[in-house]
Amino acid sequence: MKRILALLVIITLAGSNDIFAQSDAGKIKYGVRAGVNAAYHGFSNAYKKDAKDDGYSNRPVVSFHAGGYVDYMLTNAISIQGGLLLTGKGGKENWAGEDPFSGNDSKGGVREHTLYLEIPVNAVYKIGKFYAGAGPYLGYALSGKWKEWYDEYEEDGEVISDDESGKIVFSGENAYRKRLDAGANIMAGYQITDHINVGLNFGIGLMNVNKTEYQADEHRKYWSLKNRVFAVSVGYTF
């Protein structure tokens, strides 16, 4: 059902573009953009406090985004900009400290990379060559992978290492993350030429994408996990 809904949204967006193109061709501009993402997980305040006390640190993972957009001018300064993007999300946690069982120094971490199909819709205000905007987005996870690693340093100098990795599961009894994501974008940029622009974007996930056994009980808020993505892009308007 979720896949069908996502497909309907895409079809609707594409259909509306055709209608606009027929009626207001002079007000529409098409473009493509691509760039680099720095993605991390937004945890609950309670979890962040405990994680800090336990020696955990939240770190971003580097990914990418690429896709197309349609800019529909309402006035000379204001436009509505919709798009369709492939965008990478995820996050990384590192930790270091004393192993609670052996008492030896140890360190480790876990890293996630997730690829989303995302539909942003932003209201954009332009002044001279600068522009800024904001709006909602809807995302659908296409795939994901995770990796965990652990190193323990024994007293004789030997290092015991353990690595595990796999694919993120989005459905079924072993589901680990939710496929749907939703949130808001804040964007700003500069129009270098009539065709080329550079921009910054911050995606703020508003939906808890964590899907664990804790979701149905009182620990649900504690284990809340939301996507955060800072992106730098280069765009080309046709």
Side-chain angles (χ1 to χ4, degrees):
M1 177 61 72
K2 292 179 179 179
R3 294 184 179 183
I4 294 174
L5 288 174
L7 182 60
L8 288 175
V9 172
I10 295 170
I11 293 173
T12 302
L13 182 65
S16 63
N17 289 340
D18 290 340
I19 294 172
F20 286 148
Q22 293 173 7
S23 59
D24 297 300
K27 297 182 178 181
I28 288 186
K29 294 182 179 180
Y30 297 88
V32 293
R33 66 163 52 98
V36 179
N37 294 353
Y40 64 97
H41 289 145
F43 297 104
S44 69
N45 290 331
Y47 177 86
K48 285 190 290 187
K49 182 180 182 302
D50 290 345
K52 183 179 180 180
D53 292 341
D54 292 337
Y56 282 75
S57 59
N58 190 13
R59 293 289 183 266
V61 294
V62 178
S63 188
F64 77 97
H65 66 272
Y69 60 90
V70 179
D71 191 89
Y72 181 75
M73 296 178 61
L74 299 177
T75 70
N76 289 333
I78 300 173
S79 66
I80 298 296
Q81 191 176 104
L84 187 62
L85 295 174
L86 282 175
T87 185
K89 302 185 181 185
K92 178 170 62 174
E93 275 191 289
N94 293 338
W95 61 270
E98 184 179 287
D99 186 279
F101 299 102
S102 66
N104 296 325
D105 290 337
S106 59
K107 66 179 182 179
V110 58
R111 179 173 65 240
E112 289 187 22
H113 285 279
T114 313
L115 183 64
Y116 280 81
L117 181 65
E118 189 169 287
I119 302 174
V121 179
N122 296 307
V124 181
Y125 179 75
K126 303 170 186 177
I127 178 168
K129 291 184 176 295
F130 292 93
Y131 63 86
Y137 75 79
L138 177 66
Y140 183 82
L142 301 175
S143 64
K145 58 184 180 180
W146 60 270
K147 181 178 181 179
E148 291 187 31
W149 64 95
Y150 173 81
D151 294 329
E152 182 179 338
Y153 303 89
E154 297 193 333
E155 294 181 358
D156 60 3
E158 182 181 357
V159 180
I160 300 175
S161 299
D162 185 27
D163 295 333
E164 293 185 41
S165 61
K167 294 182 179 180
I168 295 177
V169 180
F170 296 98
S171 59
E173 295 182 358
N174 298 320
Y176 185 59
R177 295 283 183 256
K178 299 174 184 177
R179 281 199 184 274
L180 285 181
D181 182 30
N185 285 311
I186 301 172
M187 60 183 295
Y190 182 79
Q191 195 73 37
I192 298 175
T193 70
D194 289 341
H195 298 287
I196 300 174
N197 62 79
V198 293
L200 303 175
N201 189 87
F202 185 51
I204 307 168
L206 301 177
M207 186 173 184
N208 178 13
V209 297
N210 201 10
K211 192 171 185 178
T212 71
E213 65 271 23
Y214 302 109
Q215 289 299 297
D217 62 24
E218 66 273 15
H219 298 294
R220 181 175 174 181
K221 291 184 178 179
Y222 180 85
W223 292 104
S224 175
L225 185 152
K226 300 175 182 179
N227 285 312
R228 301 283 188 267
V229 181
F230 179 77
V232 180
S233 66
V234 176
Y236 185 89
T237 304
F238 298 102

